[in-house]
Amino acid sequence: MARQKELALYRNIGIIAHIDAGKTTTTERVLYYTGRKHQIIDVHDTKDGKSSTTTDYLEQEKKRGITIQSAAVSTEWKGYHINLIDTPGHVDFTIEVNRSLRVLDGAVVVFDGVAGVEPQTETNWRLADQYNVPRMCYVNKMDRIGANFAHCVKSIRERLGANALLCQIPLGSQDEFVGMVDLVAGAAYVWQSSDKDSEWEVVPLDQVRARFKFTVTRDDEWMDKLPQLRKELIESALAMDDDAFMHYVETGEFDQMKLKECIRIGAVSGKLIPVLCGSSFKNKGVQQLLDAVVDYLPYPGENGGISMVDLDGNIIGKQEVRDDAPVRALAFKVINDQFGTLTFTRIYSGVIKKGDTMMNVTRGKKERVGRIVEVQANTTKDIDEVRAGDICAFVSMKDTETGDSLTDLQHPVLLERMRFPDPVISVSVEAKTRDDIDKMSAALYKMAKADPSLRLNVDPETGETVLRGMGELHLEITIDRMRSELGVEANMGKPKVSFREAFGNRVDHIYTHKKQTGGSGQYAEVKMVFEPGEPGTGVVFVDEVVGGRIPREFIPSVEFAVKTESRAGQIAGYEVLDFKARLIDGKYHDVDSSALAFEIAGRHCFREAHRMSKPRLLEPMMRIEVVTESEFLGDVIGDMNRRRGQVTDQGTKGMQAFVHGFVPLAEMFGYINYLRSATRGRGTFTMEFNNYSEVPAGLVDKLMEKEAK
Ligand SMILES: Nc1nc2c(ncn2[C@@H]2O[C@H](COP(=O)(O)OP(=O)(O)OP(=O)(O)O)[C@@H](O)[C@H]2O)c(=O)[nH]1
Ligand SMILES: [Mg+2]
């Protein structure tokens, strides 16, 4: 079968934002206006458990009114094929944003028109920077009391450092919000009502000032500035094309198509960030947003191909997004539900047909392609083949996990890896009933497989099961989903901080493993140097043995020993981060040396060296934002200091005050209760992992004692 739709008619788009900005509400409108759904369900209508929005369908999402996992849906708009991923805003589920951005070509960043840039907007924006994803901004909730477009644009420019290109200006705000001026088209769109099927009237730009008068002064002032704003838009956009720009400067004329083309060049290259506005809830601006997605965000491959890497992650080449090339695909999400396993996959090049066999290069295993489906609103549609640029789900794949590279059998290669965030908090988990004991480990294993930001450990000595994750909510939801989806009930212990350890000083150490038991003995000697590394450098093993002082075949055993042993440091068994281990010399015996003997020597050498190095304990340091009424700010700051926190910034945000700072996670359990009582319920906070920082020497024992309880 030939290609049905050319690549230029594809858009793979993510919706990202801070919690509650209106991503799911917007997605729901998109599905309605693109004809995928015949009714709109609102997030707050779902708590009865009977209805759900398309993308928030988990019991936990409905109950809490928040998105927990990203969901991919496909739809059509004006002849374009759009794959859309609605992501969660809550920081505990940041893995979902991460993996979505990894496979998307463009993103719509949604803002709450009252709040402007919020902490997770910033985090997600930086993630999109890392993955090089072009984006545009949609200032939603213009109907809310306190909505302030100017404030939002200012925060987009200042806090995100974005070169915001104002393509739309709202017509009024709050209950006066009736539509928007489209500076590109040179016309305003005015809705008759907030009904989902309400039509909009097109008003020529030169009539707008005379026709609209708003009671909020700042809204009204925008109307005076329209001619100037349009001029600015045209100039900034045409600057992308020298000829068009010169022509405009000389004659004052420009071509409308050219203008859009220039905005597209700017947006696709990331030089310009188009800014739109609307109210998804009041059904204003969503169709225009879709038009802008099509007009300004890139099609697959428009920004270049996908990087291929060697086993160490070094880039070895780029694969163009083309059908007539080897298959290159990346699995980015695995869902287990009543239909079985769905493996969501982005295809970068080649064609995959039902019945094909692919290579999972990450795991070195073959995978047969049984069914291929496209997920639409509430159904899945079977398809026979997928091509370069597509996003689809494979049904019932056996071995493929998130982040795995899939290719054809003839041309295996790894694609650039996904980065997974590090879990900072842990809980012990205990099955509720005897019946559940056996089922629990299998169930938790399944949950952890689907969510790479979860880690599962079973202590071999005590048999205790420990689950690590991104935050209290993340772990709570995991346990609750295990109950509702897999029928296994468990109790969670008190959440604990996931500390880390590090080497204090450089240590040179020799360890000799010698054992004589009857017949053959064991003998291995290693001489190693351990040095603390810079944060983020990981565990580096260097083989510096010369002259065959240790036979080649035994060296991997030493490396293996150091790497596995570093998972439990000598202070209290936490993972040891960032160090370099150099194997510089050693001794062996022709008969008594073996891989096992060298492994044992490596393990002991690591342990003793770590102990001797004056090891340091590291704790997760969190970036926090608290927003509350100004009158409570003093108390909140005082409390933050008592929690060993450090304030970096404070100020006002609309009618409220905010404080930014860093606090150790160890001091933050139950913070929500403190904040509620200290601010009479009028304070909110968001907190996310920033870095690992050294625990002050005097506190190590106290913290470890607390943890042991
Ligand atoms: N007034 C107003 N409320 C809105 C608008 N859009 C969304 N909301 C409301 O804001 C709340 C959050 O909306 P969601 O769509 O769940 O937000 P989200 O960004 O998906 O949130 P998370 O997925 O949890 O991060 C809901 O109560 C919506 O009804 C809007 O345009 N105006
Ligand atoms: Mg949502």
Side-chain angles (χ1 to χ4, degrees), residues 474-520:
H474 184 207
L475 295 171
E476 239 171 66
I477 298 249
T478 302
I479 299 298
D480 199 35
R481 284 183 62 187
M482 181 165 79
R483 173 192 57 74
S484 62
E485 289 164 34
L486 304 168
V488 180
E489 297 209 39
N491 289 325
M492 245 171 51
K494 223 175 69 196
K496 291 181 174 178
V497 178
S498 222
F499 289 93
R500 296 287 191 276
E501 299 182 22
F503 275 84
N505 308 317
R506 172 188 156 128
V507 173
D508 294 42
H509 192 53
I510 300 178
Y511 187 88
T512 314
H513 173 63
K514 209 182 327 181
K515 214 168 176 185
Q516 201 66 48
T517 44
S520 70

Side-chain angles (χ1 to χ4, degrees), residues 336-394:
N336 298 298
D337 68 3
Q338 69 266 36
F339 306 114
T341 306
L342 287 180
T343 307
F344 284 86
T345 306
R346 162 76 199 253
I347 302 24
Y348 289 96
S349 61
V351 180
I352 302 166
K353 293 191 170 66
K354 221 163 77 175
D356 282 357
T357 301
M358 285 199 280
M359 190 68 191
N360 179 328
V361 186
T362 314
R363 293 182 199 280
K365 290 197 170 148
K366 289 181 185 170
E367 280 279 13
R368 220 184 88 83
V369 179
R371 280 172 62 206
I372 310 175
V373 298
E374 186 184 283
V375 179
Q376 303 175 341
N378 298 336
T379 55
T380 55
K381 181 181 143 202
D382 273 82
I383 41 184
D384 292 329
E385 60 167 42
V386 275
R387 291 172 170 266
D390 265 329
I391 287 180
C392 71
F394 295 115

Side-chain angles (χ1 to χ4, degrees), residues 18-25 43-44 65-67 87-90 140-141 143-144 279-281:
H18 188 80
I19 192 161
D20 263 1
K23 298 173 289 293
T24 302
T25 306
V43 178
H44 52 247
I66 61 168
T67 305
T87 67
H90 196 287
N140 184 33
K141 300 201 182 184
D143 63 300
R144 265 190 74 192
S279 162
S280 296
F281 186 57

Side-chain angles (χ1 to χ4, degrees), residues 14-89:
I15 303 201
I16 61 175
H18 188 80
I19 192 161
D20 263 1
K23 298 173 289 293
T24 302
T25 306
T26 305
T27 306
E28 199 64 13
R29 271 31 178 207
V30 166
L31 292 173
Y32 178 75
Y33 292 123
T34 56
R36 271 285 180 260
K37 278 194 96 170
H38 301 296
Q39 57 169 339
I40 290 173
I41 306 283
D42 271 308
V43 178
H44 52 247
D45 290 336
T46 64
K47 298 194 172 105
D48 57 3
K50 289 190 201 101
S51 56
S52 71
T53 65
T54 297
T55 49
D56 286 357
Y57 57 84
L58 291 180
E59 176 189 318
Q60 290 72 15
E61 294 179 314
K62 292 192 277 184
K63 232 173 16 200
R64 293 172 195 250
I66 61 168
T67 305
I68 291 167
Q69 60 171 357
S70 56
V73 283
S74 306
T75 191
E76 302 274 327
W77 179 249
K78 298 188 176 171
Y80 287 80
H81 182 79
I82 299 182
N83 289 311
L84 193 74
I85 300 189
D86 174 24
T87 67

Side-chain angles (χ1 to χ4, degrees), residues 72-191:
V73 283
S74 306
T75 191
E76 302 274 327
W77 179 249
K78 298 188 176 171
Y80 287 80
H81 182 79
I82 299 182
N83 289 311
L84 193 74
I85 300 189
D86 174 24
T87 67
H90 196 287
V91 46
D92 280 19
F93 309 109
T94 181
I95 173 72
E96 299 292 328
V97 186
N98 222 294
R99 60 167 137 214
S100 305
L101 287 172
R102 173 69 176 75
V103 297
L104 291 168
D105 302 311
V108 174
V109 187
V110 183
F111 298 79
D112 176 328
V114 180
V117 173
E118 297 177 85
Q120 278 313 105
T121 334
E122 236 177 307
T123 307
N124 292 337
W125 189 273
R126 306 278 166 243
L127 267 180
D129 280 342
Q130 277 178 30
Y131 287 106
N132 258 325
V133 175
R135 65 213 88 143
M136 55 192 216
C137 298
Y138 173 60
V139 178
N140 184 33
K141 300 201 182 184
M142 281 309 304
D143 63 300
R144 265 190 74 192
I145 293 176
N148 183 340
F149 188 65
H151 161 72
C152 288
V153 172
K154 187 163 175 265
S155 67
I156 289 170
R157 287 187 169 138
E158 289 176 2
R159 283 183 63 186
L160 304 179
N163 189 12
L165 182 77
L166 301 191
C167 294
Q168 294 183 348
I169 303 296
L171 284 170
S173 66
Q174 313 176 139
D175 54 2
E176 285 183 328
F177 178 66
V178 288
M180 71 273 317
V181 176
D182 181 335
L183 292 175
V184 182
Y189 310 131
V190 186
W191 274 259

